[in-house]
Amino acid sequence: MASAAATVDQSSVVTQGVNPWLIAASVMLATFMEVLDTSIAAVALPYIAGSLSASTDEATWVLTSYLVSNAIVLPASNWCSLRFGRKRFLISCVTIFTIASFFCGAAPSLALMLLARVIQGAGGGALQPLSQAILLESFPPAKRGAAMAVFALGVVVAPVIGPTLGGWLTDTYSWRYAFYINIPVGLLAVFMIGRFVKDPPYIAKAKVPPFDMIGFGTLCVWTGCLQIILDKGQEDDWFGAIWIRWAATFLVVSLIWFIIHSWRAREPLVCLQILKNRNFGVGCLLILLFGMAIYSTVTVLPLFYQELLGYTAFTAGLVVAPRGLGAIFGSFLVGQISSKIDNRVLLTLGFLVFGLTTLYFGNITLEISPTTLFWPIVITGIALAFVFVPISTMAYGTLRNDQIGNASGLFNLMRNVGGSIGISIAQTLLVRRAALHQNEITNYVPITGAQFQQAVQSLQRVLAGSFLGPANAATGANANLYQQLIRQAMYWSFVDVFRLLSLLCLACVVIVWFFQKVKGKGPPAGAH
């Protein structure tokens, strides 16, 4: 009873009399806005390229520049919050993000657009770990499941509705409004954070170490190289390109240097010693794999509708939007039961259901209707909530409050890195497996075979009589069959990706049980 009371006192000291749900609403506005921006711009890329007289390849730097600066700032957020005060730093980040959003929308050229995106990513990088740390400290351990359910609404729902909202804004108004929409949300977030969020005593009394230039420098190099390699690797044939081999060398050297320095240094920018905590180490591994699974699925499923079924970006976004409804319902449900049921059971259920629904996606055909996958997509949203909420609760459950800031930056970095790796692997597999399946299909259906020749002759008669005339019918028939070949090969590549994602989720079920059980009604270990 005494320890539980101490925990309640700790959270009340952090909130300083403010209702914790008002604090949750304040910080989640900023986080939702930042996570939304990672996916909302992806839909508008072709329009951005056309408007700014750039190629599609050049326009992809709009995404890459944001993600690189975002990843660099994530682990540095704890030091900055200690140095400048968490509330002041959070308000500064939201302000920078909001102003940069305006300049992104108003950019007259690609160069200015990229500069604004770098600044926007730097401003947004700290929002996720700061919001998560504030939420965890504002609620007692018995209610941290509910707090993480609120956080899940931003982190899980935002990437799902991003393509839909971005497509609607782009089609109805302009791609520039995909950035302008951040401005009113950012102003409201600044007001609410200034009104309701308070700095805990340990931040005000903290002895801030000198800035770790070696840790920050190596962090910049390896995260930047990793993101650029992942984004541009498939375009340039991976290690077939000399620049990628050099970038990979810099990546490996800087990453090893970063790990050794951050493990041995007395006061590093990112304290990797925290990975000795078993639950947090397992949580980082799982969130890395979870990031690969969720971001790959969010990317691949709309592509299936667009590439193979001919849907527009907005329509494809609408079809997959029910995942957001499932995530909202799942977050509410798991927030209610997470303190009553072993979180390892909830995690197992979440990964298992997500894996089975992804396996179901691997059995779809090219004749599906827009509503065929409605319930499976809703169920994946529920499963995502059953993964994200317990995994955060378990990972932070045995940490002290003063460790949460550093842990949150590292934890969110792992999720973002997992997402980048997952998207890159999925896109590479789609291209490589489509080429493989094309070869396999042509081997089983040779051009000289009777089946192929009958199909050509049948199509030739149809086209000669109604469309192309006798002179062009043979060319049209072969072109039509080749188009069907490409479509079938692409279809099987999507099937392969869905099935591999299913296996990944099922492997996570085993890793879940390496967690130590965390008692929901008591304080985290060492929190006194």
Side-chain angles (χ1 to χ4, degrees):
M1 291 296 292
S3 62
T7 305
V8 174
D9 290 340
Q10 273 194 338
S11 61
S12 64
V13 167
V14 174
T15 58
Q16 298 181 28
V18 179
N19 188 316
W21 292 109
L22 284 174
I23 297 174
S26 303
V27 297
M28 282 317 302
L29 269 176
T31 300
F32 187 84
M33 175 179 67
E34 189 272 329
V35 179
L36 184 72
D37 223 61
T38 59
S39 60
I40 197 172
V43 180
L45 273 187
Y47 301 89
I48 294 173
S51 178
L52 302 181
S53 301
S55 67
T56 304
D57 288 347
E58 291 172 335
T60 57
W61 286 103
V62 171
L63 300 179
T64 306
S65 58
Y66 178 88
L67 292 172
V68 169
S69 61
N70 196 278
I72 290 170
V73 173
L74 263 172
S77 58
N78 184 55
W79 185 91
C80 293
S81 64
L82 293 174
R83 175 65 180 82
F84 303 108
R86 190 164 63 189
K87 177 180 177 178
R88 185 183 304 161
F89 180 53
L90 182 58
I91 290 177
S92 300
C93 287
V94 176
T95 304
I96 291 170
F97 184 89
T98 306
I99 294 173
S101 295
F102 168 77
F103 283 104
C104 285
S109 67
L110 182 63
L112 290 176
M113 175 71 161
L114 294 180
L115 177 62
R117 283 289 279 178
V118 169
I119 297 171
Q120 187 189 36
L127 297 182
Q128 290 183 51
L130 288 178
S131 299
Q132 192 171 35
I134 290 170
L135 279 173
L136 286 165
E137 292 178 17
S138 299
F139 289 81
K143 294 184 179 179
R144 282 182 177 173
M148 284 301 95
V150 175
F151 190 72
L153 286 177
V155 176
V156 176
V157 177
V160 176
I161 70 170
T164 308
L165 180 60
W168 179 75
L169 288 171
T170 302
D171 291 344
T172 308
Y173 301 102
S174 165
W175 62 266
R176 298 182 185 276
Y177 283 88
F179 298 103
Y180 289 150
I181 194 174
N182 294 331
I183 297 172
V185 180
L187 293 174
L188 179 60
V190 168
F191 169 77
M192 293 185 69
I193 292 168
R195 179 73 177 82
F196 300 119
V197 175
K198 312 292 182 183
D199 277 346
Y202 79 85
I203 285 184
K205 300 175 183 177
K207 293 181 180 178
V208 185
F211 189 71
D212 181 11
M213 294 300 297
I214 295 177
F216 184 72
T218 52
L219 174 69
C220 290
V221 174
W222 80 259
T223 52
C225 289
L226 176 65
Q227 192 62 58
I228 292 170
I229 289 171
L230 291 175
D231 283 0
K232 298 295 180 181
Q234 177 55 36
E235 294 177 19
D236 290 353
D237 194 29
W238 293 103
F239 293 102
I242 295 177
W243 77 265
I244 288 186
R245 294 201 290 268
W246 276 107
T249 302
F250 284 117
L251 165 63
V252 172
V253 172
S254 58
L255 178 59
I256 294 173
W257 192 358
F258 172 78
I259 292 172
I260 294 173
H261 172 78
S262 299
W263 191 270
R264 292 181 175 178
R266 287 187 58 190
E267 296 175 326
L269 181 69
V270 181
C271 181
L272 295 185
Q273 292 280 352
I274 200 171
L275 291 172
K276 288 182 178 180
N277 182 291
R278 176 173 165 178
N279 271 23
F280 185 70
V282 173
C284 282
L285 174 60
L286 273 178
I287 201 67
L288 179 78
L289 299 176
F290 174 65
M292 293 174 63
I294 179 176
Y295 283 102
S296 299
T297 308
V298 167
T299 303
V300 168
L301 196 55
L303 274 178
F304 176 82
Y305 282 101
Q306 289 175 266
E307 298 288 336
L308 294 180
L309 303 185
Y311 288 28
T312 64
F314 176 56
T315 310
L318 279 180
V319 172
V320 300
R323 185 183 287 116
L325 298 176
I328 293 171
F329 173 76
S331 298
F332 173 78
L333 178 61
V334 77
Q336 298 297 314
I337 65 176
S338 62
S339 61
K340 304 171 184 176
I341 299 176
D342 188 345
N343 279 251
R344 293 174 297 180
V345 175
L346 297 179
L347 273 170
T348 300
L349 182 62
F351 275 120
L352 190 61
V353 171
F354 188 77
L356 291 176
T357 50
T358 309
L359 184 62
Y360 180 82
F361 292 155
N363 293 317
I364 56 179
T365 67
L366 295 174
E367 285 73 41
I368 63 171
S369 72
T371 58
T372 301
L373 296 181
F374 176 82
W375 286 112
I377 289 173
V378 170
I379 292 170
T380 59
I382 298 173
L384 290 176
F386 269 72
V387 170
F388 187 82
V389 176
I391 203 175
S392 301
T393 305
M394 294 292 289
Y396 296 105
T398 54
L399 297 177
R400 302 187 308 272
N401 270 8
D402 60 317
Q403 294 177 308
I404 288 178
N406 175 70
S408 183
L410 185 58
F411 189 76
N412 283 281
L413 176 65
M414 288 296 101
R415 191 188 69 247
N416 282 17
V417 168
S420 297
I421 294 173
I423 291 171
S424 181
I425 291 175
Q427 291 175 337
T428 301
L429 284 174
L430 287 177
V431 175
R432 301 291 172 94
R433 298 296 294 180
L436 174 67
H437 287 299
Q438 184 176 338
N439 288 332
E440 289 181 344
I441 293 172
T442 52
N443 288 337
Y444 283 105
V445 187
I447 296 176
T448 55
Q451 187 178 8
F452 180 80
Q453 291 299 324
Q454 289 173 2
V456 170
Q457 292 171 10
S458 177
L459 266 175
Q460 193 172 341
R461 284 193 295 270
V462 172
L463 295 174
S466 55
F467 296 104
L468 301 178
N472 299 316
T475 302
N478 280 285
N480 184 281
L481 286 174
Y482 181 71
Q483 187 178 26
Q484 291 185 41
L485 168 65
I486 296 296
R487 191 164 180 253
Q488 288 294 326
M490 287 179 62
Y491 161 74
W492 281 107
S493 69
F494 278 97
V495 168
D496 289 343
V497 171
F498 285 131
R499 290 177 178 175
L500 287 172
L501 287 173
S502 177
L503 291 176
L504 177 64
C505 293
L506 296 178
C508 289
V509 172
V510 178
I511 301 174
V512 163
W513 291 95
F514 285 91
F515 272 126
Q516 291 177 322
K517 187 173 181 179
V518 176
K519 295 181 180 180
K521 300 211 180 245
H528 298 291

